[in-house]
């Protein structure tokens, strides 16, 4: 009885080994040359590509399943409003630059006038000490000198204001250009498009309807 059980156990082990050898041979026979198989898990990083600005989608340049390279353009947002804002900011900068040039020329003129008023006041002061002119004339020359100085300072302030306007317009241009760059969606890395979650607005075909009048035969 024990020998029978031992024989059955040996037979079961042999069948198990034979089954394993057959299964390996079966897999090897179906495997193509140069192709290796194995067990494992594939992991991928999912990246959402979205624009920072709200706007109408102008075009989507890729399809689901496409392999895209790093920096490849995926979609574009309508940027007509931003381009108009950019032109306005550039015009504002040119206007401020013209104002600065005018202000600088005016500073030279006002400085010359102020210098002349100072010299006239100095001569009036000397003449007043010698009693060659009266106090009223000296007061008028002193008032003219103060006015010339105030006008010269105002010209300097105008130039400072024009310079600040240039800086403000330049910052505005830089911001708008950054927003324009954000309207072009690019792939941050090499990868494959998994989903197209947005589509460009398309015009639906217009269906023309015509009303036809039908007449039925009349019986006499």
């Amino acid at each position: 009885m024990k020998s029978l059980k031992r024989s059955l156990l040996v037979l079961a082990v042999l069948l198990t080994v034979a089954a394993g050898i057959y299964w390996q041979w079966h897999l090897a026979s179906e495997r193509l040359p140069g192709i290796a198989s194995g067990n494992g898990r594939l992991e991928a990083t999912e990246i959402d590509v979205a624009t920072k600005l709200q706007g109408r989608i102008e075009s989507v340049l890729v399809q689901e399943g496409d392999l895209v390279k790093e920096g490849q353009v995926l979609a574009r947002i309508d940027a007509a409003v931003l381009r108009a804002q950019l032109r306005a900011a550039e015009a504002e900068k040119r206007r401020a630059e013209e104002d600065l040039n005018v202000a600088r020329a005016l500073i030279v003129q006002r400085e010359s006038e102020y210098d002349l008023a100072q010299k006239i006041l100095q001569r009036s002061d000397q003449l007043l000490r010698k009693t060659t002119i009266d106090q009223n004339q000296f007061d008028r020359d002193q008032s003219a000198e103060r006015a010339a100085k105030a006008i010269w300072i105002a010209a300097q302030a105008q130039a400072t204001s024009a310079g600040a306007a240039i800086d403000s317009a330049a910052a505005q241009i830089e911001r708008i250009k950054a927003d324009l760059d954000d309207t072009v969606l690019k792939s941050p890395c090499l990868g494959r498009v998994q989903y197209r979650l947005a589509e460009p607005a398309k015009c639906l075909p217009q269906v023309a309807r015509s009303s036809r009048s039908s007449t039925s035969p009349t019986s006499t």
Side-chain angles (χ1 to χ4, degrees):
M1 191 68 179
K2 291 182 179 180
S3 60
L4 178 60
K5 290 182 179 180
R6 186 178 300 171
S7 300
L8 292 175
L9 180 60
V10 173
L11 180 61
V13 172
L14 292 176
L15 289 175
T16 302
V17 174
I21 294 174
Y22 171 77
W23 180 250
Q24 293 295 331
W25 173 83
H26 179 71
L27 292 179
S29 63
E30 292 184 351
R31 192 175 302 161
L32 296 177
I35 302 298
S37 65
N39 296 326
R41 180 177 63 183
L42 291 177
E43 293 185 358
T45 302
E46 185 172 325
I47 301 175
D48 295 330
V49 180
T51 177
K52 297 179 182 179
L53 305 175
Q54 294 182 354
R56 184 177 63 86
I57 298 177
E58 186 177 86
S59 60
V60 179
L61 306 178
V62 293
Q63 301 294 332
E64 293 182 357
D66 288 353
L67 182 65
V68 295
K69 301 178 181 179
E70 180 180 355
Q72 180 176 341
V73 178
L74 306 178
R76 299 180 185 273
I77 305 299
D78 184 15
V81 175
L82 288 175
R83 285 192 288 267
Q85 293 176 355
L86 178 60
R87 290 193 295 270
E90 290 174 341
E92 186 65 26
K93 183 182 178 182
R94 289 192 297 269
R95 186 181 301 110
E97 289 172 344
E98 292 176 359
D99 292 342
L100 179 60
N101 292 332
V102 172
R104 286 173 175 172
L106 191 61
I107 286 175
V108 176
Q109 179 182 350
R110 298 310 183 193
E111 186 178 10
S112 177
E113 293 174 353
Y114 174 51
D115 183 64
L116 177 60
Q118 283 182 312
K119 292 179 180 179
I120 292 175
L121 180 61
Q122 290 174 358
R123 285 197 299 268
S124 296
D125 181 59
Q126 294 173 359
L127 294 175
L128 180 63
R129 294 175 185 275
K130 297 178 182 180
T131 66
T132 305
I133 61 172
D134 58 9
Q135 184 66 38
N136 291 333
Q137 181 63 43
F138 175 81
D139 292 341
R140 287 193 295 270
D141 293 339
Q142 188 178 49
S143 177
E145 187 268 345
R146 291 174 179 174
K149 181 178 180 180
I151 294 174
W152 175 56
I153 294 175
Q156 291 177 323
Q158 184 178 354
T160 302
S161 177
I166 292 174
D167 294 338
S168 177
Q172 184 77 355
I173 291 172
E174 185 176 355
R175 181 191 65 80
I176 296 173
K177 287 183 177 180
D179 290 341
L180 282 171
D181 291 338
D182 289 336
T183 61
V184 180
L185 278 68
K186 298 180 180 180
S187 175
C189 60
L190 177 67
R192 193 172 295 277
V193 179
Q194 188 174 8
Y195 302 111
R196 256 176 73 142
L197 300 180
E199 297 293 336
K202 296 181 180 179
C203 296
L204 296 177
Q206 299 289 335
V207 179
R209 296 182 179 179
S210 60
S211 59
R212 296 181 180 179
S213 59
S214 59
T215 58
S216 59
T218 57
S219 58
T220 55

PDB file of all heavy atoms in Angstrom, residues 112-133:
ATOM      1  N   SER A 112      18.053 128.377 -19.933  1.00  0.00           N
ATOM      2  CA  SER A 112      18.694 129.579 -20.468  1.00  0.00           C
ATOM      3  C   SER A 112      17.958 130.837 -19.995  1.00  0.00           C
ATOM      4  O   SER A 112      18.595 131.854 -19.635  1.00  0.00           O
ATOM      5  CB  SER A 112      18.712 129.522 -21.995  1.00  0.00           C
ATOM      6  OG  SER A 112      19.262 130.710 -22.536  1.00  0.00           O
ATOM      7  N   GLU A 113      16.643 130.799 -19.999  1.00  0.00           N
ATOM      8  CA  GLU A 113      15.845 131.940 -19.532  1.00  0.00           C
ATOM      9  C   GLU A 113      16.070 132.197 -18.044  1.00  0.00           C
ATOM     10  O   GLU A 113      16.158 133.353 -17.600  1.00  0.00           O
ATOM     11  CB  GLU A 113      14.365 131.686 -19.814  1.00  0.00           C
ATOM     12  CG  GLU A 113      14.034 131.651 -21.296  1.00  0.00           C
ATOM     13  CD  GLU A 113      12.585 131.243 -21.554  1.00  0.00           C
ATOM     14  OE1 GLU A 113      11.905 130.864 -20.572  1.00  0.00           O
ATOM     15  OE2 GLU A 113      12.147 131.286 -22.720  1.00  0.00           O
ATOM     16  N   TYR A 114      16.165 131.108 -17.288  1.00  0.00           N
ATOM     17  CA  TYR A 114      16.406 131.265 -15.850  1.00  0.00           C
ATOM     18  C   TYR A 114      17.795 131.839 -15.587  1.00  0.00           C
ATOM     19  O   TYR A 114      17.985 132.699 -14.707  1.00  0.00           O
ATOM     20  CB  TYR A 114      16.243 129.905 -15.171  1.00  0.00           C
ATOM     21  CG  TYR A 114      16.590 129.890 -13.710  1.00  0.00           C
ATOM     22  CD1 TYR A 114      16.056 130.832 -12.817  1.00  0.00           C
ATOM     23  CD2 TYR A 114      17.487 128.949 -13.204  1.00  0.00           C
ATOM     24  CE1 TYR A 114      16.384 130.817 -11.469  1.00  0.00           C
ATOM     25  CE2 TYR A 114      17.820 128.925 -11.855  1.00  0.00           C
ATOM     26  CZ  TYR A 114      17.272 129.855 -11.000  1.00  0.00           C
ATOM     27  OH  TYR A 114      17.601 129.845  -9.660  1.00  0.00           O
ATOM     28  N   ASP A 115      18.782 131.397 -16.350  1.00  0.00           N
ATOM     29  CA  ASP A 115      20.137 131.928 -16.203  1.00  0.00           C
ATOM     30  C   ASP A 115      20.176 133.423 -16.510  1.00  0.00           C
ATOM     31  O   ASP A 115      20.843 134.206 -15.807  1.00  0.00           O
ATOM     32  CB  ASP A 115      21.079 131.162 -17.129  1.00  0.00           C
ATOM     33  CG  ASP A 115      22.525 131.612 -16.971  1.00  0.00           C
ATOM     34  OD1 ASP A 115      23.086 131.423 -15.871  1.00  0.00           O
ATOM     35  OD2 ASP A 115      23.088 132.142 -17.948  1.00  0.00           O
ATOM     36  N   LEU A 116      19.442 133.833 -17.570  1.00  0.00           N
ATOM     37  CA  LEU A 116      19.391 135.254 -17.919  1.00  0.00           C
ATOM     38  C   LEU A 116      18.701 136.061 -16.821  1.00  0.00           C
ATOM     39  O   LEU A 116      19.153 137.167 -16.465  1.00  0.00           O
ATOM     40  CB  LEU A 116      18.653 135.435 -19.239  1.00  0.00           C
ATOM     41  CG  LEU A 116      18.458 136.887 -19.713  1.00  0.00           C
ATOM     42  CD1 LEU A 116      19.811 137.581 -19.914  1.00  0.00           C
ATOM     43  CD2 LEU A 116      17.631 136.919 -21.003  1.00  0.00           C
ATOM     44  N   ALA A 117      17.619 135.517 -16.263  1.00  0.00           N
ATOM     45  CA  ALA A 117      16.905 136.217 -15.197  1.00  0.00           C
ATOM     46  C   ALA A 117      17.774 136.367 -13.957  1.00  0.00           C
ATOM     47  O   ALA A 117      17.722 137.405 -13.258  1.00  0.00           O
ATOM     48  CB  ALA A 117      15.618 135.460 -14.859  1.00  0.00           C
ATOM     49  N   GLN A 118      18.608 135.379 -13.678  1.00  0.00           N
ATOM     50  CA  GLN A 118      19.525 135.483 -12.540  1.00  0.00           C
ATOM     51  C   GLN A 118      20.540 136.606 -12.752  1.00  0.00           C
ATOM     52  O   GLN A 118      20.847 137.379 -11.829  1.00  0.00           O
ATOM     53  CB  GLN A 118      20.256 134.152 -12.333  1.00  0.00           C
ATOM     54  CG  GLN A 118      19.433 133.074 -11.660  1.00  0.00           C
ATOM     55  CD  GLN A 118      20.236 131.793 -11.453  1.00  0.00           C
ATOM     56  OE1 GLN A 118      20.906 131.309 -12.378  1.00  0.00           O
ATOM     57  NE2 GLN A 118      20.183 131.271 -10.241  1.00  0.00           N
ATOM     58  N   LYS A 119      21.086 136.715 -13.966  1.00  0.00           N
ATOM     59  CA  LYS A 119      22.067 137.758 -14.255  1.00  0.00           C
ATOM     60  C   LYS A 119      21.431 139.145 -14.159  1.00  0.00           C
ATOM     61  O   LYS A 119      22.054 140.098 -13.640  1.00  0.00           O
ATOM     62  CB  LYS A 119      22.652 137.537 -15.643  1.00  0.00           C
ATOM     63  CG  LYS A 119      23.520 136.291 -15.736  1.00  0.00           C
ATOM     64  CD  LYS A 119      24.050 136.099 -17.143  1.00  0.00           C
ATOM     65  CE  LYS A 119      24.917 134.831 -17.230  1.00  0.00           C
ATOM     66  NZ  LYS A 119      25.434 134.599 -18.604  1.00  0.00           N
ATOM     67  N   ILE A 120      20.202 139.274 -14.671  1.00  0.00           N
ATOM     68  CA  ILE A 120      19.512 140.565 -14.590  1.00  0.00           C
ATOM     69  C   ILE A 120      19.268 140.948 -13.137  1.00  0.00           C
ATOM     70  O   ILE A 120      19.429 142.127 -12.743  1.00  0.00           O
ATOM     71  CB  ILE A 120      18.188 140.510 -15.376  1.00  0.00           C
ATOM     72  CG1 ILE A 120      18.481 140.378 -16.869  1.00  0.00           C
ATOM     73  CG2 ILE A 120      17.353 141.750 -15.105  1.00  0.00           C
ATOM     74  CD1 ILE A 120      17.236 140.196 -17.722  1.00  0.00           C
ATOM     75  N   LEU A 121      18.892 139.958 -12.318  1.00  0.00           N
ATOM     76  CA  LEU A 121      18.642 140.242 -10.900  1.00  0.00           C
ATOM     77  C   LEU A 121      19.935 140.655 -10.199  1.00  0.00           C
ATOM     78  O   LEU A 121      19.916 141.568  -9.343  1.00  0.00           O
ATOM     79  CB  LEU A 121      18.029 139.016 -10.236  1.00  0.00           C
ATOM     80  CG  LEU A 121      17.719 139.151  -8.750  1.00  0.00           C
ATOM     81  CD1 LEU A 121      16.693 140.272  -8.523  1.00  0.00           C
ATOM     82  CD2 LEU A 121      17.196 137.831  -8.172  1.00  0.00           C
ATOM     83  N   GLN A 122      21.047 140.024 -10.548  1.00  0.00           N
ATOM     84  CA  GLN A 122      22.327 140.393  -9.929  1.00  0.00           C
ATOM     85  C   GLN A 122      22.700 141.834 -10.280  1.00  0.00           C
ATOM     86  O   GLN A 122      23.170 142.603  -9.422  1.00  0.00           O
ATOM     87  CB  GLN A 122      23.419 139.437 -10.380  1.00  0.00           C
ATOM     88  CG  GLN A 122      23.282 138.030  -9.803  1.00  0.00           C
ATOM     89  CD  GLN A 122      24.303 137.069 -10.384  1.00  0.00           C
ATOM     90  OE1 GLN A 122      25.104 137.434 -11.261  1.00  0.00           O
ATOM     91  NE2 GLN A 122      24.282 135.828  -9.898  1.00  0.00           N
ATOM     92  N   ARG A 123      22.499 142.208 -11.549  1.00  0.00           N
ATOM     93  CA  ARG A 123      22.817 143.587 -11.938  1.00  0.00           C
ATOM     94  C   ARG A 123      21.877 144.570 -11.244  1.00  0.00           C
ATOM     95  O   ARG A 123      22.296 145.656 -10.816  1.00  0.00           O
ATOM     96  CB  ARG A 123      22.709 143.739 -13.455  1.00  0.00           C
ATOM     97  CG  ARG A 123      23.872 143.110 -14.200  1.00  0.00           C
ATOM     98  CD  ARG A 123      23.955 143.632 -15.619  1.00  0.00           C
ATOM     99  NE  ARG A 123      22.748 143.322 -16.388  1.00  0.00           N
ATOM    100  CZ  ARG A 123      22.611 142.233 -17.134  1.00  0.00           C
ATOM    101  NH1 ARG A 123      23.584 141.334 -17.203  1.00  0.00           N
ATOM    102  NH2 ARG A 123      21.501 142.042 -17.813  1.00  0.00           N
ATOM    103  N   SER A 124      20.606 144.181 -11.148  1.00  0.00           N
ATOM    104  CA  SER A 124      19.654 145.069 -10.461  1.00  0.00           C
ATOM    105  C   SER A 124      20.024 145.249  -9.004  1.00  0.00           C
ATOM    106  O   SER A 124      19.881 146.355  -8.435  1.00  0.00           O
ATOM    107  CB  SER A 124      18.245 144.492 -10.571  1.00  0.00           C
ATOM    108  OG  SER A 124      17.827 144.448 -11.910  1.00  0.00           O
ATOM    109  N   ASP A 125      20.515 144.200  -8.381  1.00  0.00           N
ATOM    110  CA  ASP A 125      20.920 144.297  -6.978  1.00  0.00           C
ATOM    111  C   ASP A 125      22.103 145.256  -6.830  1.00  0.00           C
ATOM    112  O   ASP A 125      22.160 146.074  -5.893  1.00  0.00           O
ATOM    113  CB  ASP A 125      21.280 142.911  -6.473  1.00  0.00           C
ATOM    114  CG  ASP A 125      21.680 142.923  -5.003  1.00  0.00           C
ATOM    115  OD1 ASP A 125      20.851 143.349  -4.172  1.00  0.00           O
ATOM    116  OD2 ASP A 125      22.817 142.499  -4.693  1.00  0.00           O
ATOM    117  N   GLN A 126      23.045 145.180  -7.766  1.00  0.00           N
ATOM    118  CA  GLN A 126      24.196 146.084  -7.708  1.00  0.00           C
ATOM    119  C   GLN A 126      23.768 147.535  -7.940  1.00  0.00           C
ATOM    120  O   GLN A 126      24.246 148.456  -7.256  1.00  0.00           O
ATOM    121  CB  GLN A 126      25.243 145.664  -8.744  1.00  0.00           C
ATOM    122  CG  GLN A 126      25.873 144.305  -8.450  1.00  0.00           C
ATOM    123  CD  GLN A 126      26.777 143.837  -9.573  1.00  0.00           C
ATOM    124  OE1 GLN A 126      26.912 144.543 -10.604  1.00  0.00           O
ATOM    125  NE2 GLN A 126      27.421 142.681  -9.391  1.00  0.00           N
ATOM    126  N   LEU A 127      22.881 147.728  -8.908  1.00  0.00           N
ATOM    127  CA  LEU A 127      22.410 149.083  -9.199  1.00  0.00           C
ATOM    128  C   LEU A 127      21.573 149.643  -8.068  1.00  0.00           C
ATOM    129  O   LEU A 127      21.595 150.869  -7.806  1.00  0.00           O
ATOM    130  CB  LEU A 127      21.607 149.090 -10.503  1.00  0.00           C
ATOM    131  CG  LEU A 127      22.405 148.777 -11.766  1.00  0.00           C
ATOM    132  CD1 LEU A 127      21.480 148.698 -12.983  1.00  0.00           C
ATOM    133  CD2 LEU A 127      23.498 149.826 -12.004  1.00  0.00           C
ATOM    134  N   LEU A 128      20.818 148.757  -7.390  1.00  0.00           N
ATOM    135  CA  LEU A 128      20.014 149.217  -6.270  1.00  0.00           C
ATOM    136  C   LEU A 128      20.906 149.700  -5.133  1.00  0.00           C
ATOM    137  O   LEU A 128      20.589 150.690  -4.456  1.00  0.00           O
ATOM    138  CB  LEU A 128      19.093 148.097  -5.799  1.00  0.00           C
ATOM    139  CG  LEU A 128      18.179 148.437  -4.619  1.00  0.00           C
ATOM    140  CD1 LEU A 128      17.206 149.557  -5.006  1.00  0.00           C
ATOM    141  CD2 LEU A 128      17.405 147.206  -4.162  1.00  0.00           C
ATOM    142  N   ARG A 129      22.030 149.011  -4.930  1.00  0.00           N
ATOM    143  CA  ARG A 129      22.953 149.428  -3.888  1.00  0.00           C
ATOM    144  C   ARG A 129      23.560 150.817  -4.200  1.00  0.00           C
ATOM    145  O   ARG A 129      23.900 151.577  -3.291  1.00  0.00           O
ATOM    146  CB  ARG A 129      24.072 148.406  -3.734  1.00  0.00           C
ATOM    147  CG  ARG A 129      23.584 147.036  -3.216  1.00  0.00           C
ATOM    148  CD  ARG A 129      24.720 146.037  -3.204  1.00  0.00           C
ATOM    149  NE  ARG A 129      24.255 144.710  -2.841  1.00  0.00           N
ATOM    150  CZ  ARG A 129      24.105 144.278  -1.587  1.00  0.00           C
ATOM    151  NH1 ARG A 129      24.384 145.102  -0.579  1.00  0.00           N
ATOM    152  NH2 ARG A 129      23.681 143.057  -1.349  1.00  0.00           N
ATOM    153  N   LYS A 130      23.693 151.090  -5.502  1.00  0.00           N
ATOM    154  CA  LYS A 130      24.243 152.387  -5.908  1.00  0.00           C
ATOM    155  C   LYS A 130      23.146 153.429  -6.119  1.00  0.00           C
ATOM    156  O   LYS A 130      23.427 154.527  -6.613  1.00  0.00           O
ATOM    157  CB  LYS A 130      25.037 152.222  -7.202  1.00  0.00           C
ATOM    158  CG  LYS A 130      26.247 151.299  -7.058  1.00  0.00           C
ATOM    159  CD  LYS A 130      26.956 151.141  -8.394  1.00  0.00           C
ATOM    160  CE  LYS A 130      28.137 150.195  -8.278  1.00  0.00           C
ATOM    161  NZ  LYS A 130      28.851 150.027  -9.580  1.00  0.00           N
ATOM    162  N   THR A 131      21.932 153.007  -5.798  1.00  0.00           N
ATOM    163  CA  THR A 131      20.744 153.874  -5.971  1.00  0.00           C
ATOM    164  C   THR A 131      20.564 154.333  -7.409  1.00  0.00           C
ATOM    165  O   THR A 131      20.053 155.434  -7.679  1.00  0.00           O
ATOM    166  CB  THR A 131      20.832 155.097  -5.042  1.00  0.00           C
ATOM    167  OG1 THR A 131      21.940 155.917  -5.464  1.00  0.00           O
ATOM    168  CG2 THR A 131      20.950 154.708  -3.587  1.00  0.00           C
ATOM    169  N   THR A 132      21.016 153.504  -8.334  1.00  0.00           N
ATOM    170  CA  THR A 132      20.834 153.832  -9.743  1.00  0.00           C
ATOM    171  C   THR A 132      19.429 153.491 -10.205  1.00  0.00           C
ATOM    172  O   THR A 132      18.873 154.165 -11.088  1.00  0.00           O
ATOM    173  CB  THR A 132      21.861 153.078 -10.591  1.00  0.00           C
ATOM    174  OG1 THR A 132      23.172 153.372 -10.114  1.00  0.00           O
ATOM    175  CG2 THR A 132      21.751 153.473 -12.057  1.00  0.00           C
ATOM    176  N   ILE A 133      18.847 152.436  -9.641  1.00  0.00           N
ATOM    177  CA  ILE A 133      17.457 152.069  -9.939  1.00  0.00           C
ATOM    178  C   ILE A 133      16.670 152.101  -8.642  1.00  0.00           C
ATOM    179  O   ILE A 133      17.242 152.069  -7.533  1.00  0.00           O
ATOM    180  CB  ILE A 133      17.362 150.674 -10.586  1.00  0.00           C
ATOM    181  CG1 ILE A 133      17.920 149.602  -9.636  1.00  0.00           C
ATOM    182  CG2 ILE A 133      18.082 150.638 -11.925  1.00  0.00           C
ATOM    183  CD1 ILE A 133      17.696 148.188 -10.123  1.00  0.00           C
TER     184      ILE A 133
END
